[in-house]
Amino acid sequence: MHGCGNDFIVVDGPADISADRVRELCDRRRGIGADGILVIGDAQGRCWPVPIHNADGSLGESCGNGARCVARYLLDRHGGDALDLAFPGGTVTARRDKAGIAITFAAPSSPEALALDGTRAYRVSFGNPHVVVFVSDPATADLRALAATARAAAGEANVEIARVVANDLILLRVDERGVGETLACGTGACATVAAAACEQRMAERVTVRVPGGDLFVRAGPSTFELAGPAEYVFEGTA
């Protein structure tokens, strides 16, 4: 499944998957190919636990697009209007939305300003760590080099490079920890809107344009909502 090209192997578990097996399955030449693996655990009522495995075999804390993919899978099979997903980094609520699937996170604590060689940047947490770097043109900026600089200053994190085009539009590229550059990052989109709000007033609904498409973020005082497509690619047995 994928959300704006941020793709995942969704395993209807529970299942124990070793780091070596994760790397094999996520390999885009020798395996299925994916940015990560999400394993659905046994439900407690309408709440399903979901361990996250990054493509390099490491474990993740939270995943916005992955949550939306898992939510669509479960809503399609179990029905209902909404459900909860328990990730190591916190629980999110998911529902169907005109854009596809929407999930709601707890709002982050105030972003922390960072100085990266004179570049404006912020550290933000959405259950997983992010560093948001504002640049003049994300399409031409050296994402790999900026990600290395950000991690040297702030520790291991997902790194976003962004440009605020208007108060309702942000352009974004992401280098995800344990994966590399991805076509989209849901928590990264939310982190970027939170960081942008430190510098200017943002619209109620912000379109975050990533290489894989558009994600939509609504930022509130206590919650953030992330919406966008969640699509099937194929189903099988591994």
Side-chain angles (χ1 to χ4, degrees):
M1 300 186 72
H2 77 91
C4 287
N6 192 192
D7 58 342
F8 307 94
I9 300 167
V10 176
V11 178
D12 196 342
D16 292 323
I17 305 177
S18 70
D20 285 343
R21 184 60 170 155
V22 169
R23 288 189 288 270
E24 290 172 359
L25 291 171
C26 291
D27 190 299
R28 295 192 181 278
R29 292 179 175 83
R30 298 181 176 88
I32 295 172
D35 292 329
I37 298 178
L38 306 171
V39 180
I40 301 171
D42 289 326
Q44 299 291 323
R46 293 283 291 178
C47 180
W48 282 263
V50 185
I52 302 169
H53 301 268
N54 294 321
D56 68 352
S58 62
L59 296 174
E61 298 98 340
S62 186
C63 184
N65 287 324
R68 294 189 309 98
C69 288
V70 171
R72 178 172 179 190
Y73 176 87
L74 290 171
L75 287 170
D76 285 351
R77 281 152 181 76
H78 297 282
D81 297 323
L83 54 79
D84 292 334
L85 300 173
F87 292 100
T91 297
V92 304
T93 297
R95 63 175 178 82
R96 295 192 188 276
D97 179 85
K98 64 181 180 180
I101 297 291
I103 59 171
T104 302
F105 302 85
S109 55
S110 296
E112 175 189 351
L114 299 172
L116 298 178
D117 297 332
T119 303
R120 294 151 38 234
Y122 294 85
R123 190 196 328 250
V124 190
S125 176
F126 266 93
N128 55 355
H130 294 266
V131 175
V132 179
V133 184
F134 290 105
V135 299
S136 59
D137 184 2
T140 60
D142 189 338
L143 174 58
R144 181 176 294 184
L146 286 168
T149 299
R151 290 179 179 125
E156 285 300 309
N158 301 302
V159 178
E160 288 76 33
I161 58 173
R163 175 190 171 204
V164 179
V165 178
N167 73 339
D168 63 350
L169 176 62
I170 293 174
L171 306 182
L172 180 67
R173 288 172 62 203
V174 183
D175 186 294
E176 292 197 50
R177 177 186 55 165
V179 183
E181 183 171 5
T182 57
L183 293 179
C185 178
T187 55
C190 292
T192 302
V193 172
C198 294
E199 302 201 342
Q200 68 179 75
R201 185 178 181 85
M202 301 301 291
E204 178 186 357
R205 183 177 187 263
V206 178
T207 299
V208 180
R209 187 153 294 155
V210 293
D214 289 348
L215 295 168
F216 307 98
V217 177
R218 294 181 186 272
S222 59
T223 60
F224 271 55
E225 183 182 80
L226 170 72
E231 305 291 347
Y232 295 98
V233 179
F234 64 85
E235 297 186 39
T237 303

